[in-house]
Amino acid sequence: MSILTAAQAVLPMSDGAPAENVEPITATITAAQAGGAFPLMWLLFALPAVGAAVLLIVGRRSDRWGYLLACALPIGSFILACILLAQMMALPEADRQVTLELWNWTFAGSFDAAFALRLDPLSISFVMLITGVGSLIHIYSIGYMAEDPKRRLFFAYLNLFVAAMLLLVLADNYLLVYVGWEGVGLASYLLVGFWQYKDSAAVAAKKAFVMNRVGDVGLSLAIMLMFLTFGTVTFSDVFEAAPEASETTLTIIGLLLLLAAVGKSAQFPLQAWLLDAMEGPTPVSALIHAATMVTAGVYLVVRSNAIFDLSTTAISVVLAIGVITMTMGAWIACAQDEIKKSLAGSTMSQIGYMFLGAGLGPAGYVFAIFHLLMHGMFKADLFLSAGSVMHGNDDQKNMRLYGGLRVAMKVTMVAFFCGFLGISGLPPFDSWFSKDGIIDAALGVNVFAGLVALGVAGMTAFYMTRMLAMTFFGSPRWAEDQHPHESPPVMTVPMLILSIGALFGGLFFVYVAPIGEWLAPVTGYEESTPVIPEIPLKLTSLAIAIIGIALGWRKYATKDVPRVAPTNVTILTTAGRHELYGNAFNESLFMRPGQYLTRWLVWFDNRSLDGLVRGIATGIGDLGGKLRLWETGYARSYALSMLGGALLLGVVVATARWF
């Protein structure tokens, strides 16, 4: 039995029986046929897009009110999303796939892709996450960016990002996904580098942009290969034709899609940009690098489940990447002293769990999305709480210079603690259901992956306890001129709302609105047979989490934390501090050889190509200078030259005839 079965929510069918081997729904109805608010679904991404356009075009004249407009429009999208969700829930299960074709925007020969939107249980789940969490982060940003002279521009970029992310998840074909995909890449670049006057922020933005472009090549090639293979890039047509394609072709398409996914979701081997991206303002970290953009890769894999299910190789690589990255991320999070970088390592690890779930195939797709939704709430809560800590401590990031903040920042401490409960795997909070669901499914499909996931669950509890203890407990370690203070309500209220999701989101999606039943029509479901019975598994998972918490508390809460990081540490800690040498590896394998190649090409261009061109020009100039000596201006000289030339020509002709 799976964890959702025990929670009385394992994909029940209409008659209450478990839904095993559910086939994805293929029926489609148009927005006009569905009626209600469905014809207005284009407003979901249009509202924040208009907000970005207005703030960018109007410019400084909107400084006084622009941030208010930017907050109101995502909230409008969230309200519309709630209406659409209610209407979709009222539809028969077979009709929960609504399309809206706005216009036909591409046609070249036989290629045709409409600008069409697709609303189904998977996309509306993402829309609710993006608009709900995104709206709260917009409100939080009012306080966080209050003193920034370019606050209006920041909110314009936030709106641009939300619009692009919504377009990505609402797209009905891969080409439109690509438009949203590149849109969030651009918005991420602008937001991470928003404080470009700092070299670290400018470099981080460029690094994120370049590494994401590497992954984006995979998506563009996958789209081209889809068209060559299937003659279309529309989801429904591609998925319907996929069984007729060769496994080799499907494997190539799957691996190309996976390349795009690992780039956007900061998974191995394209994970090195994520920690550097923490140089951006904290709301950026919460919105882009915790709740939405980095989960786009998981969305792409799950959305393309019809392709991955038909390629054993591709889906095995998804699983392997998940196992590797969730271990790497947890390792890094255990060693980082900057609070946001430790949370960034945690993000890598938790998304690794989602990739592991997706790599389990039909047995894990539901749990991958379940954990994604839970992660969006508790990680956004943790990032915003971390931003509140920094805001109240003169933008100090180093946890070794915190300590004892539970007294000065009580509300922030409560919010962070709720996020801690949500991620640590303690009952009955979020990860108790979603993460353990992945572990349960993994043990039934791949025992090694399941055991690694269990171990990483203990590491998660350890590094979260480490962050909690170093920040809020122990003796104060901040500077004498530093005066920690609580953040204003415009920041703390969104944190507390997210805290509710961090505590009770799992209960809601298990008992109130079963996530398995909701997503089954899109993802399908195959219940696996776990190696370990459920109750012993749950007790084992709980014991591992408690051990991790106890070890973290003993090491960082009951002892004095040094203000300077010790140097006499294990090789494992050193590697974690250096992000497992990912940057050094990329520098040695790609950056340095690229620099040497560039320098050699410059030398070759200067000495060879440019030298040849300059040599020809110089030679012609010298020849012209010598010929110019013949231009004397005297008729007798020209006559003598003509006579000499005629004689020479006569000699040549006579010689030719002789031979």
Side-chain angles (χ1 to χ4, degrees):
M1 291 172 56
S2 73
I3 182 173
L4 290 187
T5 304
Q8 301 175 353
V10 179
L11 307 175
M13 299 289 282
S14 58
D15 59 357
E20 300 183 6
N21 302 316
V22 175
E23 294 294 333
I25 290 176
T26 57
T28 303
I29 60 175
T30 66
Q33 293 171 331
F38 287 111
L40 300 177
M41 71 172 75
W42 60 276
L43 287 173
L44 289 169
F45 72 89
L47 289 176
V50 168
V54 169
L55 297 186
L56 292 173
I57 294 173
V58 175
R60 294 179 179 177
R61 287 171 292 181
S62 63
D63 282 347
R64 293 185 177 180
W65 49 266
Y67 68 94
L68 297 175
L69 175 67
C71 290
L73 293 175
I75 294 174
S77 294
F78 175 69
I79 294 172
L80 177 58
C82 292
I83 296 172
L84 292 171
L85 176 62
Q87 288 189 205
M88 179 166 285
M89 294 178 68
L91 292 175
E93 187 175 289
D95 292 336
R96 290 177 181 169
Q97 181 178 314
V98 182
T99 62
L100 174 63
E101 183 172 335
L102 299 177
W103 64 82
N104 197 339
W105 65 310
T106 59
F107 42 89
S110 59
F111 183 78
D112 187 10
F115 196 105
L117 307 180
R118 173 190 182 113
L119 202 65
D120 60 17
L122 180 60
S123 59
I124 191 62
S125 298
F126 272 83
V127 167
M128 292 295 295
L129 175 68
I130 296 165
T131 57
V133 175
S135 296
L136 292 172
I137 293 173
H138 274 71
I139 296 171
Y140 175 95
S141 300
I142 295 175
Y144 192 88
M145 303 295 290
E147 304 300 324
D148 196 291
K150 295 184 178 180
R151 178 169 65 168
R152 179 264 316 165
L153 187 61
F154 179 78
F155 275 91
Y157 293 160
L158 282 184
N159 271 198
L160 177 63
F161 172 82
V162 170
M165 190 67 199
L166 287 170
L167 180 61
L168 190 160
V169 300
L170 286 169
D172 187 50
N173 59 73
Y174 283 99
L175 185 60
L176 196 54
V177 166
Y178 188 78
V179 175
W181 196 268
E182 294 304 309
V184 295
L186 170 63
S188 175
Y189 169 76
L190 296 172
L191 286 166
V192 172
F194 185 74
W195 290 328
Q196 69 266 21
Y197 58 84
K198 298 194 304 182
D199 289 341
S200 57
V203 171
K206 289 187 289 186
K207 182 176 181 179
F209 190 81
V210 170
M211 293 195 74
N212 272 268
R213 298 293 74 72
V214 174
D216 294 352
V217 171
L219 182 56
S220 61
L221 292 176
I223 294 172
M224 297 176 194
L225 185 54
M226 283 179 196
F227 176 70
L228 289 175
T229 305
F230 307 117
T232 180
V233 294
T234 301
F235 290 150
S236 299
D237 295 337
V238 170
F239 300 158
E240 184 179 354
E244 300 177 4
S246 67
E247 184 173 352
T248 300
T249 300
L250 293 172
T251 297
I252 296 173
I253 293 175
L255 292 177
L256 289 172
L257 291 174
L258 181 58
L259 176 61
V262 299
K264 197 67 74 181
S265 294
Q267 298 291 282
F268 177 82
L270 298 178
Q271 81 288 348
W273 64 268
L274 185 62
L275 268 71
D276 290 334
M278 296 301 108
E279 289 295 329
T282 298
V284 176
S285 304
L287 178 64
I288 297 180
H289 306 123
T292 54
M293 191 188 86
V294 290
T295 61
V298 182
Y299 168 80
L300 184 65
V301 173
V302 175
R303 172 62 78 189
S304 307
N305 64 82
I307 294 174
F308 284 94
D309 286 345
L310 297 172
S311 173
T312 304
T313 301
I315 202 165
S316 297
V317 177
V318 174
L319 187 147
I321 287 175
V323 171
I324 293 171
T325 312
M326 70 179 180
T327 307
M328 291 177 60
W331 187 346
I332 292 171
C334 289
Q336 292 293 319
D337 288 334
E338 287 191 16
I339 187 169
K340 288 209 304 179
K341 286 193 173 183
S342 185
L343 286 173
S346 171
T347 296
M348 284 174 51
S349 181
Q350 297 305 307
I351 297 176
Y353 269 106
M354 300 171 206
F355 270 76
L356 168 59
L360 299 173
Y365 291 134
V366 166
F367 297 109
I369 300 300
F370 187 14
H371 193 55
L372 184 153
L373 297 175
M374 299 300 96
H375 178 266
M377 288 185 283
F378 62 64
K379 187 54 65 66
D381 175 29
L382 290 168
F383 264 112
L384 295 187
S385 300
S388 179
V389 170
M390 293 166 53
H391 186 268
N393 288 273
D394 300 329
D395 206 35
Q396 177 60 252
K397 303 176 184 177
N398 192 343
M399 292 185 291
R400 294 186 178 276
L401 302 180
Y402 292 157
L405 291 178
R406 68 185 184 280
V407 177
M409 306 184 73
K410 295 183 176 64
V411 178
T412 299
M413 188 269 181
V414 169
F416 193 95
F417 185 70
C418 291
F420 163 82
L421 293 175
I423 192 176
S424 295
L426 298 175
F429 309 113
D430 287 3
S431 288
W432 171 256
F433 300 103
S434 61
K435 186 192 300 180
D436 281 11
I438 294 175
I439 296 172
D440 181 24
L443 288 172
V445 176
N446 187 301
V447 176
F448 174 76
L451 293 176
V452 173
L454 272 172
V456 173
M459 296 174 69
T460 302
F462 174 83
Y463 67 65
M464 286 308 308
T465 304
R466 176 178 181 266
M467 277 189 272
L468 181 69
M470 291 180 70
T471 303
F472 296 102
F473 292 89
S475 58
R477 300 183 297 276
W478 57 75
E480 293 182 0
D481 59 346
Q482 191 171 320
H483 303 285
H485 57 85
E486 188 59 86
S487 299
V490 73
M491 295 174 62
T492 56
V493 170
M495 290 157 44
L496 293 175
I497 293 174
L498 287 168
S499 297
I500 297 173
L503 292 178
F504 306 115
L507 289 169
F508 177 82
F509 282 111
V510 167
Y511 290 106
V512 180
I515 187 71
E517 177 184 357
W518 177 249
L519 291 177
V522 180
T523 63
Y525 181 77
E526 290 180 5
E527 186 177 352
S528 59
T529 304
V531 176
I532 305 175
E534 184 170 0
I535 293 179
L537 173 62
K538 297 296 292 181
L539 293 176
T540 301
S541 175
L542 178 59
I544 289 174
I546 292 174
I547 291 172
I549 292 172
L551 291 175
W553 188 263
R554 181 175 181 273
K555 184 173 179 62
Y556 294 100
T558 62
K559 301 178 182 178
D560 290 334
V561 176
R563 292 171 57 88
V564 179
T567 56
N568 57 335
V569 294
T570 66
I571 189 173
L572 298 178
T573 302
T574 302
R577 289 176 179 175
H578 290 85
E579 301 174 31
L580 304 186
Y581 304 102
N583 290 316
F585 176 81
N586 291 333
E587 180 178 341
S588 301
L589 189 63
F590 299 108
M591 192 188 84
R592 294 302 178 190
Q595 287 181 331
Y596 296 144
L597 176 61
T598 301
R599 292 170 184 171
W600 181 84
L601 289 174
V602 170
W603 176 87
F604 180 77
D605 182 63
N606 290 333
R607 295 298 181 88
S608 300
L609 299 180
D610 285 356
L612 177 62
V613 172
R614 287 194 296 266
I616 294 174
T618 302
I620 293 176
D622 292 344
L623 179 61
K626 291 181 173 59
L627 291 175
R628 191 163 51 246
L629 297 175
W630 292 82
E631 302 296 329
T632 62
Y634 295 108
R636 60 180 177 273
S637 298
Y638 298 151
L640 182 61
S641 298
M642 293 171 65
L643 177 61
L647 291 174
L648 179 61
L649 181 61
V651 171
V652 171
V653 171
T655 303
R657 287 181 177 179
W658 177 266
F659 289 101

